[in-house]
Amino acid sequence: MRIVFLGPPGAGKGTQSKRLVQRLRIPHLSTGDMLRAARDAGSPVGLHAETFMAAGQLVPDPIMIQVISHRLTQPDCAQGALFDGFPRTIGQAEALDEFLAENETPLDVVLEMQVDLDELAHRMAQRARADDRPEIIRQRLKTYEERTRPLAAYYQQQQLLRTIDATGTPDEVFARIVKVLDQINPPRRGEG
Ligand code: B4P
């Protein structure tokens, strides 16, 4: 399967992705993790990206498209992938559609995680990552509203969008995700 996780910062995309890739046995493509790894390795792309991440802004599309396209050409992505935090702009979504169409590997579903603002702020404050300071959190939420929220309509139009109530415990959220995925792709006997 090819799945996109959409949702504001702190919605639990990373948390749920880690669980889901274990169940589905597909690679976890977290652009946030890729950028942090590149930054920690001191690569030019990573150091450039850090200036945007630290300010709560999106890393420019050309960099992100290059990063994800490179990753998608690796053999483990042939059977499927979980996109966690990509795409985040219409430009990224169009580039992904183009890449997947060329390879005849379309998306199966886009899961939009919904959580209210107070809960998001609370979750991120507890995590205490460098970009989780209150003023940066506000900027990241603003960036999400302006640049990423429009993707819900984009994927709705393609009839790929499913919304997930992402409040409650991680177990509760995961159960809702599995239920939606089982409706799309019913488990074979013996699985589950
Ligand atoms: P990401 O790493 O994608 O981070 P995120 O959106 O903040 O987090 P996520 O939703 O995964 O939340 P998590 O599960 O960790 O991006 C970081 C930055 O990288 C971006 O701001 C941007 O600058 C850059 N970037 C990444 N991709 C990009 C792209 N495509 N284009 C441009 N720029 C890009 O959960 C958060 C916290 O909540 C955790 O502490 C977790 O334990 C907790 N939590 C999760 N689920 C919970 C639950 N059900 N109940 C209680 N707590 C919960």
Side-chain angles (χ1 to χ4, degrees):
M1 286 189 98
R2 284 176 188 79
I3 303 169
V4 166
F5 258 126
L6 203 59
K13 301 183 293 292
T15 303
Q16 296 299 330
S17 295
K18 287 189 190 89
R19 293 167 171 233
L20 201 53
V21 293
Q22 279 187 358
R23 184 184 171 95
L24 300 177
R25 297 197 186 91
I26 53 178
H28 177 194
L29 309 190
S30 161
T31 41
D33 285 352
M34 290 179 201
L35 294 171
R36 282 185 287 275
R39 173 200 62 197
D40 294 348
S43 78
V45 165
L47 296 176
H48 184 53
E50 171 62 9
T51 58
F52 297 95
M53 294 167 80
Q57 284 162 3
L58 294 182
V59 175
D61 282 357
I63 298 180
M64 296 314 306
I65 292 166
Q66 192 190 338
V67 166
I68 207 85
S69 312
H70 175 69
R71 181 65 185 87
L72 280 173
T73 56
Q74 291 171 16
D76 62 334
C77 295
Q79 300 309 319
L82 177 53
F83 296 91
D84 165 10
F86 184 92
R88 264 175 154 96
T89 66
I90 296 286
Q92 292 179 15
E94 288 172 346
L96 181 64
D97 277 351
E98 212 172 294
F99 183 97
L100 296 177
E102 272 170 21
N103 292 282
E104 298 180 18
T105 52
L107 292 174
D108 293 286
V109 66
V110 175
L111 300 172
E112 185 194 24
M113 315 263 289
Q114 296 187 330
V115 192
D116 71 43
L117 281 178
D118 287 348
E119 174 67 13
L120 291 175
H122 173 70
R123 288 183 186 180
M124 285 190 282
Q126 290 195 328
R127 181 169 62 180
R129 208 167 62 192
D131 56 347
D132 285 339
R133 295 199 310 277
E135 67 279 17
I136 305 298
I137 290 174
R138 275 194 295 278
Q139 177 58 47
R140 287 166 61 201
L141 291 169
K142 186 166 175 275
T143 303
Y144 179 80
E145 286 302 323
E146 291 172 0
R147 308 217 31 216
T148 308
R149 176 84 71 191
L151 289 180
Y154 178 89
Y155 285 121
Q156 177 78 56
Q157 219 165 22
Q158 297 187 18
Q159 299 184 347
L160 288 172
L161 190 76
R162 300 293 169 97
T163 55
I164 303 285
D165 172 5
T167 55
T169 66
D171 283 347
E172 287 166 345
V173 177
F174 188 62
R176 291 181 199 126
I177 292 170
V178 169
K179 196 170 165 194
V180 167
L181 293 181
D182 284 350
Q183 284 164 358
I184 297 169
N185 199 6
R188 281 170 300 194
R189 233 185 302 188
E191 281 184 7

